[in-house]
Amino acid sequence: MEKEQDYLANGFQNVDGQNSVEKFKTCLTFVDSLPSFQRYKKVTDELLAFDQGVHFADIGCGLGFDVERIARKISGNVVGIDASQELLREARTRVKAAGLSNASFVSGDARNLKMQDGSFDGARTDRALQHIDNPHLAVAEMGRIVRRHGTIVCAEPDWGSFLIDDDRTECVRAVSEEWVSQFKNPHIGRRLPRMMHSLGFTDLEIRGELLVTSGIDQVNLVFDVEKTCERLDRKLGSSKFVSWYEELRLRDRSSPVFVGVTLVIVAGRKG
């Protein structure tokens, strides 16, 4: 099925080309507030091992929440890079309002960064590689711009672990497969350690975190389950999946539905 506007699974591949950029901003803002997401952010911070005076790059920074957070912790500079002018515009407004002179943003392609070799002490990317072609080029670029013995941290979901809290396995399987099929790299999480090893990174450390939402409204903000059901019914000329979704919403009133995916976090050191 061809791409449609404002679908979270593939819309992050070109945020500025969507009809409703606000939907994607709302998703990113809500995700940043979730306890499960905050927990894994602490893990990525631990692996990056912040020191005062160091300089970091955040590849695929989106609305710049992590750039702002890191800039508050260190005296060095933090640079956020993203392909979306719309997201960067809001990110710049936020850090300016916060008075953070050590945070900045540039527009760019993660696979072809316009930065000098070895100009950062560390680099991170978070849920960006799942959306781009040739993600190994982006990881290689992270290695290029980091100094020798610098650290990179990649955090990506593995959509093979996607779960929807319902016993009707046929519908769950079909909805999951439709959602997962729209990502450029749905299994990038499990590929990260091999990819980073092949690019020469050493001292790899691998962590895993379960990212969950609870309650059907939250589920749709992050995982677009309702829209996925609508897509399937259009494709099949049926009403089966929207009916299943309505039953799920009804059940949610007494027993909140939860949906989740495993995020794989890998840190490595440049040799």
Side-chain angles (χ1 to χ4, degrees), residues 22-271:
E22 289 305 314
K23 176 176 180 176
F24 296 83
K25 291 181 180 179
T26 298
C27 174
L28 292 173
T29 301
F30 177 69
V31 160
D32 193 67
S33 72
L34 287 172
S36 62
F37 281 70
Q38 292 173 358
R39 283 194 297 271
Y40 92 76
K41 298 289 187 181
K42 291 180 180 179
V43 173
T44 62
D45 287 358
E46 175 190 333
L47 293 170
L48 276 171
F50 298 129
D51 289 314
Q52 292 298 317
V54 295
H55 305 294
F56 285 98
D58 185 12
I59 314 301
C61 65
L63 289 172
F65 294 118
D66 293 317
V67 171
E68 179 182 358
R69 180 172 49 80
I70 296 170
R72 292 181 183 278
K73 294 183 177 183
I74 66 173
S75 58
N77 296 318
V78 189
V79 179
I81 301 100
D82 203 278
S84 168
Q85 297 291 348
E86 290 289 336
L87 298 183
L88 290 178
R89 185 177 297 112
E90 186 162 322
R92 291 186 178 108
T93 299
R94 179 183 299 102
V95 299
K96 182 178 180 180
L100 295 169
S101 60
N102 62 333
S104 61
F105 299 92
V106 297
S107 175
D109 184 338
R111 298 157 296 188
N112 185 24
L113 298 172
K114 306 302 182 183
M115 296 166 179
Q116 295 182 352
D117 295 1
S119 52
F120 293 92
D121 299 288
R124 70 186 300 279
T125 189
D126 185 345
R127 310 187 325 273
L129 301 178
Q130 61 181 326
H131 297 302
I132 64 174
D133 290 316
N134 302 315
H136 66 283
L137 295 180
V139 179
E141 277 289 86
M142 292 172 70
R144 181 184 65 77
I145 66 171
V146 167
R147 63 169 173 79
R148 188 181 180 193
H149 303 315
T151 300
I152 76 162
V153 176
C154 301
E156 293 290 332
D158 192 297
W159 290 105
S161 67
F162 187 49
L163 60 91
I164 299 174
D165 165 31
D166 192 69
D167 293 330
R168 288 160 288 186
T169 56
E170 180 184 355
C171 289
V172 168
R173 184 181 301 111
V175 170
S176 298
E177 289 176 354
E178 177 66 18
W179 167 260
V180 170
S181 71
Q182 297 304 303
F183 290 89
K184 293 277 189 180
N185 306 295
H187 304 303
I188 186 65
R190 73 187 68 173
R191 293 171 54 201
L192 279 175
R194 283 179 284 137
M195 183 185 298
M196 291 173 64
H197 183 267
S198 71
L199 289 168
F201 295 99
T202 62
D203 301 328
L204 297 187
E205 186 167 352
I206 306 167
R207 307 276 187 93
E209 293 286 333
L210 179 63
L211 308 182
V212 294
T213 57
S214 180
I216 199 70
D217 292 333
Q218 292 189 11
V219 162
N220 280 316
L221 281 174
V222 180
F223 298 111
D224 240 353
V225 171
E226 182 177 15
K227 191 155 190 170
T228 305
C229 291
E230 294 169 352
R231 285 171 58 89
L232 276 171
D233 277 344
R234 285 198 303 272
K235 180 190 294 186
L236 300 173
S238 74
S239 60
K240 174 180 179 178
F241 294 99
V242 169
S243 296
W244 170 79
Y245 172 79
E246 291 303 326
E247 292 174 11
L248 205 64
R249 176 176 283 280
L250 184 62
R251 193 254 287 177
D252 182 70
R253 297 176 185 175
S254 57
S255 177
V257 174
F258 80 91
V259 174
V261 66
T262 299
L263 189 98
V264 180
I265 306 165
V266 186
R269 191 174 302 278
K270 181 177 177 179

